[in-house]
């Protein structure tokens, strides 16, 4: 009858997971987003991409990742939807198609931006 | 509704979070009244403070009538429904009590209950909902134990939109002598509510959703016979100021500090507005649009709709997913590419999504308000067709 004891631990679990990438410890959250965006390196990005089934990152994908990194570094936050569209010069539908994981779990996660936890 | 109240802008389908826009007439009247009487209600011996207090008292009377309560002095003003639920849950429970609630609840109920359980103050059980999104009153009654001191049920699910049989639940709880606390965040202003007739002990509402009031104002409507509720915050009430003890008198027992007068004035205006428009008429029109949306979405290949086969006991929202796509991405695409605002994720109701098997990503929620039009629905359906066609990477 009590539906909380086990499921709540899945839904509300914010635990960190540490992995070693290129000899360096990198902390991820339970959805595989970097805990500290500053831990991101191209090596980390390539590894995250390979885990979503991508054999490598092409020029278009690197352009998206660099835009996200630079925007985050300058503004201290991820771009809003309209900034992403304008900055990349592509529709978000096309952006979604560019990464097997889509925008959030693909582009954003591979770029090492924090997990957008708002109302999720 | 008043077409001249509508601004140009995006197609806004996140009315279950906050209705937008607000009726211009409500906002203008609120500003005019606040400019005239915006002082501390009930504090001070001058006439303006008395006038503000009388305005607050009159709004309590209006709200009591609106919610079918005969006890206006037990309309407690709070910041929102979450605030109201926290005050009610913490005020109505004692160490060792057991609570029955449901898996349909919002975190505004789940988290206070969880907090009290983690502190080893209470225990609780949550009853499931069926495949159509409804809780069976018999399941609630079956979960009642000798030490059950409260049943908490949402009136309308903020994820599924299903309106729960509160009248039946209230009757059966009353037979068992267990008070019923209703979360009316999604239903207040959308469907008629009868606190006295439904034997509800306490009802939590917010102003900023279907009641069309500004954010920052909500309340508890306590039944006349509800006495066993303790304050969880203490302070100035404007009465008995020399005493170190917070007053036991309602409504002040559960109110501390200066009230949100501008919010109360806004709520008063929105109650008038809804009274003139008629909530049944507003709801019927919204449901026409939701039905059109449901019918359109159900024809699109690759879209899953949840608990929307029968919309007869429903508020004006739908939840859906595009197969193969993260709902957050669908929401971002709707926003940036189509200028349509929706809500994505688990909507602060994680157990609903676990039951639907839509965790952890959740879903896309479309919620209609009084200022949406048929054209908004047409644009949304066109957008969803395009997104679904593209879904699964084309």
């Amino acid at each position: 009858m009590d539906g909380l004891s086990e499921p709540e631990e899945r839904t509300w679990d914010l635990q960190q997971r540490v992995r070693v990438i290129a000899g360096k410890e990198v902390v991820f959250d339970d959805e595989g987003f970097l805990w500290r965006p500053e831990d991101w390196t191209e090596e980390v990005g390539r590894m995250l991409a390979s885990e979503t089934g991508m054999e490598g990152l092409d020029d278009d994908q690197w352009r998206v990742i660099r835009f996200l990194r630079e925007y985050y570094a300058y503004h201290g936050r991820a771009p809003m939807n309209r900034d992403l569209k304008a900055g990349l010069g592509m529709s978000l539908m096309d952006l979604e198609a560019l990464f097997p994981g889509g925008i959030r779990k693909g582009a954003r996660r591979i770029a090492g931006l924090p997990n957008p936890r708002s109302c999720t | 509704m008043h077409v001249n109240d509508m601004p140009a802008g995006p197609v806004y389908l996140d009315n279950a979070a906050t209705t937008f826009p607000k009726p211009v007439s409500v906002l203008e009247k609120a500003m005019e009244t606040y400019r005239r009487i915006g002082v501390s209600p009930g504090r001070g011996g001058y006439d303006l403070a008395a006038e503000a207090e009388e305005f607050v008292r009159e709004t309590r009377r209006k709200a009591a009538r609106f919610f079918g309560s005969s006890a206006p002095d037990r309309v407690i003003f709070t910041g929102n429904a979450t605030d109201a639920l926290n005050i009610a849950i913490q005020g109505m429970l004692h160490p060792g009590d057991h609570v029955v609630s449901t898996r349909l609840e919002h975190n505004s109920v789940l988290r206070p209950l969880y907090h009290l359980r983690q502190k080893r103050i209470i225990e609780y059980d949550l009853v499931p909902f069926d495949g159509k999104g409804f809780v069976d009153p018999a399941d609630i009654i079956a979960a009642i134990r000798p030490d059950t001191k409260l049943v908490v049920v949402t009136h309308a699910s903020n994820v599924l939109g299903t309106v729960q049989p509160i009248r039946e639940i209230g009757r059966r709880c009353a037979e068992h002598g267990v008070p019923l606390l209703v979360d009316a965040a999604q239903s207040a202003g959308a469907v008629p509510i009868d606190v006295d007739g439904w034997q509800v002990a306490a009802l939590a509402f917010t102003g900023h959703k279907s009641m069309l009031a500004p954010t920052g104002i909500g309340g508890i409507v306590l039944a006349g016979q509800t006495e066993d509720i303790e304050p969880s915050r203490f302070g100035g009430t404007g009465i008995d100021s020399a005493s170190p003890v917070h007053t036991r008198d309602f409504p002040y027992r559960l109110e501390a500090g200066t009230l949100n007068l501008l919010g109360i004035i806004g709520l008063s205006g929105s109650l008038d507005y809804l009274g003139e428009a008629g909530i049944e008429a507003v709801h019927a029109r919204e449901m026409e649009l939701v039905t059109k949306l449901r019918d359109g979405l159900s024809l699109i290949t690759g879209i899953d709709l949840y608990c929307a086969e029968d919309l007869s006991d429903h508020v004006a929202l739908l939840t859906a997913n595009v197969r193969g796509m993260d709902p957050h991405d669908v929401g971002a695409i709707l926003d940036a590419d189509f200028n349509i605002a929706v809500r994505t994720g688990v909507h602060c109701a994680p157990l609903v999504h676990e039951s639907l098997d839509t965790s952890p990503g959740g879903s896309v929620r479309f919620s209609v308000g009084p200022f949406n039009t048929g054209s908004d629905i047409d644009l949304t359906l066109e957008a969803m067709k395009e997104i679904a066609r593209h879904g699964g990477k084309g």
Side-chain angles (χ1 to χ4, degrees):
Chain A
M1 186 71 73
D2 180 347
L4 266 190
S5 52
E6 190 187 349
E8 70 186 353
E9 287 168 13
R10 287 206 306 271
T11 303
W12 295 335
D13 177 8
L14 300 178
Q15 65 181 297
Q16 302 175 358
R17 290 169 189 163
V18 180
R19 303 172 64 183
V20 177
I21 300 170
K24 183 184 169 192
E25 282 193 348
V26 180
V27 184
F28 292 86
D29 74 5
D30 54 328
E31 283 196 282
F33 284 82
L34 253 66
W35 199 266
R36 293 186 296 265
E38 59 272 24
D39 283 348
W40 187 88
T41 61
E42 290 194 0
E43 184 76 30
V44 170
R46 272 191 285 270
M47 190 212 67
L48 292 172
S50 74
E51 288 180 352
T52 62
M54 301 171 76
E55 291 180 4
L57 289 161
D58 63 24
D59 289 347
D60 286 342
Q61 290 158 341
W62 274 119
R63 187 171 72 84
V64 170
I65 288 166
R66 291 198 177 100
F67 171 81
L68 287 168
R69 295 294 311 169
E70 287 166 13
Y71 191 100
Y72 186 84
Y74 185 80
H75 296 278
R77 62 169 173 79
M80 287 190 277
N81 296 325
R82 60 172 178 264
D83 298 329
L84 193 53
K85 183 178 180 178
L88 290 171
M90 70 167 74
S91 72
L92 292 203
M93 200 138 62
D94 288 340
L95 172 61
E96 199 274 344
L98 199 55
F99 291 84
I103 301 169
R104 187 177 82 99
K105 289 185 185 163
R108 180 169 177 146
R109 196 173 69 90
I110 291 169
L113 269 58
N115 192 348
R117 291 196 173 275
S118 59
C119 203
T120 63
Chain B
M1 298 299 279
H2 304 173
V3 174
N4 61 355
D5 281 333
M6 296 171 55
V11 173
Y12 182 78
L13 292 176
D14 194 20
N15 290 280
T18 291
T19 46
F20 177 81
K22 303 301 183 194
V24 171
S25 55
V26 170
L27 298 179
E28 287 182 345
K29 190 174 172 191
M31 285 308 296
E32 186 276 322
T33 306
Y34 192 67
R35 273 197 297 266
R36 188 166 50 80
I37 62 164
V39 301
S40 288
R43 273 79 160 169
Y46 47 95
D47 284 356
L48 205 51
E51 196 177 341
E53 175 63 12
E54 182 50 34
F55 191 99
V56 171
R57 193 176 294 125
E58 177 56 27
T59 307
R60 294 190 208 274
R61 285 193 282 265
K62 275 187 200 174
R65 276 196 301 274
F66 186 81
F67 289 115
S69 164
S70 54
D73 61 341
R74 284 157 188 258
V75 172
I76 317 298
F77 289 121
T78 66
N80 46 51
T82 296
D83 193 28
L85 287 161
N86 270 272
I87 292 169
I89 288 170
Q90 295 183 58
M92 296 173 85
L93 294 172
H94 304 91
D97 286 350
H98 174 257
V99 179
V100 175
S101 190
T102 82
R103 289 181 64 86
L104 280 174
E105 304 307 310
H106 187 278
N107 276 338
S108 56
V109 169
L110 295 177
R111 285 181 171 172
L113 291 180
Y114 181 76
H115 171 78
L116 293 175
R117 187 173 74 176
Q118 289 301 96
K119 295 285 182 188
R120 303 189 184 282
I121 295 170
I122 65 161
E123 294 178 354
Y124 60 86
D125 286 302
L126 303 175
V127 303
F129 54 92
D130 66 19
K132 293 181 175 175
F134 293 95
V135 170
D136 185 341
D139 288 343
I140 291 174
I141 299 308
I144 289 177
R145 311 190 318 204
D147 56 348
T148 301
K149 295 295 192 268
L150 188 65
V151 169
V152 191
V153 181
T154 187
H155 191 188
S157 164
N158 72 309
V159 178
L160 303 172
T162 47
V163 177
Q164 304 305 310
I166 295 298
R167 181 195 299 271
E168 172 70 3
I169 294 168
R171 183 182 67 76
R172 298 186 68 171
C173 284
E175 286 172 0
H176 286 76
V178 179
L180 171 63
L181 168 60
V182 174
D183 172 6
Q186 291 297 334
S187 60
V191 294
I193 288 172
D194 185 0
V195 165
D196 288 351
W198 296 353
Q199 303 180 73
V200 171
L203 179 130
F205 71 92
T206 191
H208 69 105
K209 299 182 192 281
S210 289
M211 296 194 72
L212 306 179
T215 50
I217 186 67
I220 307 168
V221 181
L222 280 182
Q225 68 274 20
T226 300
E227 279 295 333
D228 189 11
I229 181 165
E230 295 300 317
S232 53
R233 55 185 75 176
F234 309 88
T237 57
I239 58 171
D240 297 336
S241 293
S243 170
V245 179
H246 192 92
T247 182
R248 304 287 298 167
D249 294 347
F250 289 112
Y252 313 109
R253 184 192 296 188
L254 301 175
E255 291 175 349
T258 304
L259 292 170
N260 173 8
L261 181 60
L262 180 55
I264 291 168
I265 293 170
L267 180 66
S268 172
S270 71
L271 284 165
D272 293 342
Y273 185 91
L274 287 171
E276 286 171 21
I279 63 169
E280 289 92 345
V282 175
H283 180 63
R285 187 180 166 282
E286 290 176 355
M287 290 310 297
E288 269 181 38
L289 297 178
V290 166
T291 301
K292 176 178 175 158
L293 181 61
R294 187 273 314 267
D295 292 347
L297 289 174
S298 64
L299 294 175
I300 301 173
T301 303
I303 288 185
D304 294 320
L305 275 163
Y306 304 97
C307 300
E309 295 84 3
D310 181 358
L311 297 179
S312 51
D313 288 311
H314 230 268
V315 290
L317 67 89
L318 291 174
T319 194
N321 266 320
V322 179
R323 262 169 252 151
M325 290 185 71
D326 185 329
H328 297 82
D329 291 354
V330 175
I333 291 167
L334 282 170
D335 185 26
D337 294 352
F338 298 97
N339 205 21
I340 296 169
V342 297
R343 189 60 158 268
T344 61
V346 299
H347 313 100
C348 299
L351 301 185
V352 175
H353 285 283
E354 285 177 2
S355 295
L356 295 177
D357 202 19
T358 47
S359 283
S363 63
V364 182
R365 184 183 69 187
F366 304 87
S367 51
V368 168
F371 297 112
N372 285 121
T373 64
S375 164
D376 292 346
I377 304 303
D378 291 337
L379 289 168
T380 304
L381 288 171
E382 283 305 311
M384 290 301 288
K385 270 184 210 164
E386 205 166 325
I387 294 169
R389 196 161 46 234
H390 150 99
K393 307 295 171 289

